């Protein structure tokens, strides 16, 4: 897949843009001035980022696989070493379908007729969401937690735990052995940044 050049990335107008970025030229960014991207980030084909007032913040060492979406007025924050697999949707806003209000995007339906649920979605460090999953507003995926493919994540995930399914269920605890690599990778990142600044 062709990746955007540094010059092309600058033209998008991100709030913050790190180094060593691999962003597909087929990814879409709406309200890019509210999107911050750290170092060593890969975003694949057909991903859609639609940032609201809360913004979207990506840490370091992140991979977001093809056809995934991050959308909503609330903040979406992804910690370091986190990832989203293909065809996954992360929402920091959702419409009220109770029948008391009109569901619809704010550019289509005026705010006085809507009653969206807007809450931040937070991914801790070393977290991941499997393919074809949905993450709803207000969820915190605590450090080391993972939800497998086709999961509906509508409640907080406990640290270093594996979950799956709809309804979501706990499978087992997750090993922390991977943490032994974190310091080494961070040292590598810092050394690369020094080279760029020279």
């Amino acid at each position: 897949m062709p990746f955007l050049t540094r010059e092309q990335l600058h033209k998008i107008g991100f709030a913050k843009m790190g180094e060593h970025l691999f962003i597909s030229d087929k990814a879409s960014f709406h309200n890019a001035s509210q999107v911050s991207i750290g170092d060593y980030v890969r975003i694949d084909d057909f991903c859609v980022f639609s940032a609201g007032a809360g913004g979207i913040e990506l840490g370091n060492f992140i991979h977001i696989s093809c056809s995934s979406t991050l959308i909503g007025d609330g903040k979406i924050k992804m910690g370091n070493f986190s990832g989203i697999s293909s065809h996954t949707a992360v929402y920091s806003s959702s419409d009220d379908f109770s029948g008391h209000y009109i569901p619809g995007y704010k550019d289509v339906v005026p705010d006085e007729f809507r009653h969206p649920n807007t809450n931040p979605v937070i991914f801790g460090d070393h977290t991941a969401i499997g393919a074809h999953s949905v993450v709803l507003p207000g969820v915190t995926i605590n450090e080391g937690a993972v939800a497998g493919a086709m999961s509906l994540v509508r409640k907080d995930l406990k640290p270093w735990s594996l979950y799956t399914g709809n309804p979501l269920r706990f499978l087992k605890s997750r090993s922390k052995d991977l943490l032994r690599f974190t310091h080494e990778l961070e040292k590598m990142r810092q050394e690369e940044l020094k080279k760029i600044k020279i």
Side-chain angles (χ1 to χ4, degrees):
M1 88 184 56
F3 296 114
L4 293 166
T5 66
R6 192 81 184 163
E7 183 180 354
Q8 289 171 321
L9 289 170
H10 274 296
K11 287 179 181 177
I12 293 173
F14 295 117
K16 177 193 167 199
M17 194 176 77
E19 301 292 339
H20 295 280
L21 303 182
F22 303 91
I23 298 177
S24 168
D25 64 353
K26 296 176 185 67
S28 298
F29 297 90
H30 306 277
N31 199 17
S33 64
Q34 295 295 316
V35 177
S36 297
I37 302 177
D39 302 320
Y40 293 91
V41 173
R42 176 173 167 148
I43 299 170
D44 290 346
D45 290 351
F46 312 116
C47 289
V48 177
F49 288 67
S50 184
I56 296 172
E57 182 181 332
L58 306 182
N60 305 316
F61 300 101
I62 287 174
H63 179 209
I64 300 173
S65 194
C66 59
S67 302
S68 291
T69 56
L70 286 78
I71 297 174
D73 281 335
K75 184 179 191 69
I76 298 174
K77 180 178 180 180
M78 294 185 65
N80 301 325
F81 307 99
S82 59
I84 295 174
S85 197
S86 57
H87 299 275
T88 289
V90 178
Y91 298 104
S92 62
S93 295
S94 63
D95 280 315
D96 183 335
F97 291 98
S98 66
H100 300 293
Y101 298 92
I102 297 174
Y105 192 68
K106 61 185 174 183
D107 289 344
V108 178
V109 178
D111 283 344
E112 59 264 33
F113 305 112
R114 302 170 64 244
H115 189 252
N117 170 26
T118 298
N119 279 295
V121 175
I122 308 297
F123 290 70
D125 293 349
H126 304 287
T127 56
I129 300 296
H132 295 273
S133 294
V134 176
V135 181
L136 294 178
V139 165
T140 296
I141 300 164
N142 285 290
E143 183 185 42
V146 172
M150 295 187 281
S151 293
L152 175 60
V153 185
R154 56 182 191 168
K155 63 180 181 179
D156 293 355
L157 303 188
K158 293 180 181 178
W160 298 101
S161 299
L162 291 169
Y163 294 82
T164 190
N166 178 14
L168 195 69
R169 66 185 187 281
F170 171 81
L171 286 179
K172 61 181 180 178
S173 294
R174 187 176 179 223
S175 172
K176 296 181 184 179
D177 284 352
L178 59 85
L179 292 175
R180 69 188 188 276
F181 302 118
T182 303
H183 177 72
E184 192 175 334
L185 280 169
E186 181 56 28
K187 182 180 175 183
M188 177 196 77
R189 184 179 78 90
Q190 293 297 335
E191 287 172 355
E192 287 298 319
L193 291 178
K194 285 178 186 176
K195 290 177 187 176
I196 291 167
K197 290 176 182 176
I198 290 173

